[in-house]
């Protein structure tokens, strides 16, 4: 006799707090495990609440551009919805510092 059971854990997600457009960490994207990448998304806003970037492909990330141009060095807000492989929905919001 044997039992087969599929176990999935809650997603574990890490967001960087800064990117340097001319440096080592040039793309903002969440890192983690047990993430359903086909259903997760995130948005980037400037300090006045204007939407600068939106993606349903969180593996692509944000390269610090808006309307085809590099953004200024500043602090930007993000809002992310991460869906786990087990169906759990996690909401994140925070800030990302862009350095040049």
């Amino acid at each position: 006799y044997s039992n087969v059971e599929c176990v999935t854990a809650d997603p574990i997600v890490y967001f960087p707090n800064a990117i340097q457009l001319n440096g080592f960490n040039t793309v903002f994207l969440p890192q983690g495990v047990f993430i359903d990448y086909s259903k997760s998304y995130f948005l980037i806003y400037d300090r006045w609440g204007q939407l600068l970037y939106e993606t349903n492909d969180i593996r692509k990330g944000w390269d610090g551009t808006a309307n085809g141009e590099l953004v200024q060095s500043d602090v930007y807000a993000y809002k992310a919805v991460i869906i786990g492989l087990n169906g759990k929905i996690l909401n994140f919001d925070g800030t990302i510092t862009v350095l040049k």
Side-chain angles (χ1 to χ4, degrees), residues 13-93:
V13 185
Y14 163 77
F15 290 88
N17 60 5
I19 60 174
Q20 186 174 7
L21 299 181
N22 298 323
F24 178 73
N25 187 21
T26 60
V27 178
F28 172 75
L29 65 144
Q31 300 288 327
V33 293
F34 308 118
I35 298 171
D36 187 345
Y37 290 98
S38 65
K39 296 178 183 173
S40 301
Y41 63 93
F42 72 87
L43 310 136
I44 304 288
Y45 298 93
D46 65 13
R47 66 174 54 233
W48 297 278
Q50 179 182 353
L51 179 64
L52 298 179
Y53 183 76
E54 178 178 13
T55 185
N56 290 333
D57 184 2
I58 65 171
R59 288 178 282 196
K60 181 181 173 192
W62 179 53
D63 61 357
T65 60
N67 300 322
E69 297 183 19
L70 290 175
V71 298
Q72 297 296 318
S73 294
D74 205 347
V75 177
Y76 296 86
Y78 68 83
K79 183 178 226 44
V81 176
I82 306 297
I83 312 293
L85 293 174
N86 61 358
K88 185 168 186 173
I89 300 171
L90 299 175
N91 294 298
F92 294 93
D93 55 6

